[in-house]
Amino acid sequence: MLHISYVFSSYNIDMLLRVLAAICLGFIIGFEREITNKYAGLRTHILVCLGACVFTILSIYGFPELVNYDIPNYNPTGIRDTARVAAQVVTGIGFIGAGTVLRNGPTVFGLTTAATLFMAASIGMACGAGMYGLAIASSILSVAVLTLIRVFERQVLNRCAKNIKRLKVNIHCDNENVDAVREFMMSNFKTVDALKMHKLIENPARTKLSLIVEVVSKRPIQFIYDKLESLHGIESISIDSVIEK
């Protein structure tokens, strides 16, 4: 049984503080990801931060100098690479980050979450090295970037190219209202493809309009529905994302 004085020695308390710091700071970043409904949330960021901290502690203290008492006059060189294990964290975290990146046509999701996992690993390494000031400052700045820059993007960069969505809109409407619907679409949306109209064979009293439009909105499909709900004579609307080849 371990002696109680050894368990509560200053050495073990210091290791415990580093581990607890990694858990708390990993929680801070993970909480921001969790409340924004990202794939990697609390548990993932806490474990990444904690794992990086433990690997760093092992790298520093887990591999002491090798002393061979069977060899006469053996003197250890004292040279050991304490950064070797910790350096592999930088490479290894890339595999976890890659798992959070998804692509749907021209749109890529999860890059920011992958970056926060990379940041969580670096904060864990700082905790493992006992650099609490750097770890705390990095955590605060990371959360500030995730929250404040998001507001800045919505207010200032909302019309940048990456927020433009290309959608194919199909509208079934009454023949007497087709001109009004066509004019409304042409005046309220930037048309990417030429407007196509043809009467429905199964129902000659109605016409199908097809066109591809560009929309700048976080919820482009809902944005189009909201725009068209005030029009009369529309029987049905179908909207699909345009997949770039």
Side-chain angles (χ1 to χ4, degrees), residues 110-125:
L111 286 175
T112 302
T113 300
T116 58
L117 288 172
F118 191 79
M119 195 66 205
S122 68
I123 292 171
M125 293 178 68

Side-chain angles (χ1 to χ4, degrees), residues 153-170:
E153 289 176 338
R154 291 175 178 175
Q155 299 296 327
V156 180
L157 304 179
N158 62 331
R159 301 194 65 83
C160 66
K162 69 177 183 179
N163 290 327
I164 298 177
K165 305 296 189 301
R166 291 162 57 92
L167 302 171
K168 183 177 182 180
V169 183
N170 297 311

Side-chain angles (χ1 to χ4, degrees), residues 1-14 16:
M1 183 179 293
L2 293 175
H3 197 276
I4 192 168
S5 62
Y6 172 78
V7 175
F8 291 99
S9 64
S10 59
Y11 173 81
N12 286 323
I13 291 177
D14 181 55
L16 181 61

Side-chain angles (χ1 to χ4, degrees), residues 36 48 89 130-131 151 163 187 191 204 207 209 211-212 220 225 231 238:
T36 52
V48 165
V89 176
M131 305 174 69
V151 176
N163 290 327
S187 60
T191 305
T207 300
L209 287 79
L211 71 162
I212 297 176
Y225 278 122
L231 294 179
S238 64

Side-chain angles (χ1 to χ4, degrees), residues 102-117:
L102 303 174
R103 179 170 181 176
N104 180 17
T107 307
V108 179
F109 303 94
L111 286 175
T112 302
T113 300
T116 58
L117 288 172

